[in-house]
Amino acid sequence: MSNVLSIIDSHQYVAGVPYNRQFQISLGRHFNTTYITLDDIKRNKIKGELHKFDMVISSLRLRTLVQNLGLIKDYLNNHPVIIYEQDPWEAFITDGPYEGSYYDINEKLNVITFVNTTEFWTNFIRDRGLPGMSVTMGILPELCKNYIPWNQRKYDVVFMGGMKSHRKKFFENLKSMKVDVEFLPRKNHEGFLESMRLSKIFLHNMHNPPFIIEGKQWDMWFGYPWTKDIEIAAMGCYAVTNKRDGMQHYGIDNISLIQTFECMDEIPDIIEEIHNKTLDQVHNEIKESISYIKATDHWSSVKKIAEIITKG
């Protein structure tokens, strides 16, 4: 098993951020992983032992890496490093605080590759001359638990999240189409999953206002990962969402609980079709979807990093 050094913000930060925590857990399952914090680096902990590791991976928040780039450069001393980053768009938003940071990181560190969580963003950075590879995000198999039978669920069609102006308009339009949605109070990650176990259908629209990237408007929603939808389906709840990039990459066609639409006019028919399914049909789709999600374990795609180590 390859030896990997994982650079993290802090143990407290990882414990409090579900997607970072699940990434670190999966990393530890597939590699002999040592974790080192930013404070450890400031104290030059194991600085002279980097040669013992087959690969160094930074999963620092982008802002942390940018603010401490000089420190990280001195610590690594040109040692090869992989940059794992879940929010790559932050590095390209025009006039944003981190605009151009990928180029700066690539110049100052010996970057083997940037690892992002969609093919859309991997192709985006490759097209700009930066090294990139993609992995997937999802939900750890052990979190797919406490299944509640469909006919015992408390909520029908729900949404949980911030009610920004574009979302408010989206749901107002749906209401005019006689689609009733119950808005659940926002909760932490554990509370969100529990609410999905109690729900039949989660409806959301990923079509956010465009970002300004390199001075032009980009519909960045099209490149968002499928993580939330996979989590929802893993709780035995249907996720109704936009059709977008990465369906094949994430195996969405194998998860019948994830239903997609290209325009909102399709939504009433999708919901009606779900409501018209027999209880046996629903339970079969739930069973098959959860089984696929558990067997696939999207987080296990971190194993692809071994290919870099082998080639290196």
Side-chain angles (χ1 to χ4, degrees), residues 2-3 33 49 52 88 103 106 144 148 154 159 193 196 212 214 224 246 267:
S2 300
N3 295 316
T33 307
E49 302 176 28
K52 297 181 180 179
Y103 299 110
N106 191 58
C144 305
I148 296 175
K154 183 177 180 180
F159 173 76
L193 295 181
M196 295 306 99
I212 305 300
E214 299 172 340
Y224 286 167
I267 295 175

Side-chain angles (χ1 to χ4, degrees), residues 4 51 62 84 129 158 160 163 171 187 230 275 294 309:
V4 169
H51 64 280
L62 183 59
Y84 175 79
V158 304
M160 180 189 293
M163 194 55 67
F171 287 113
K187 298 180 179 180
I230 291 170
H275 282 153
K294 291 175 70 174
I309 296 174

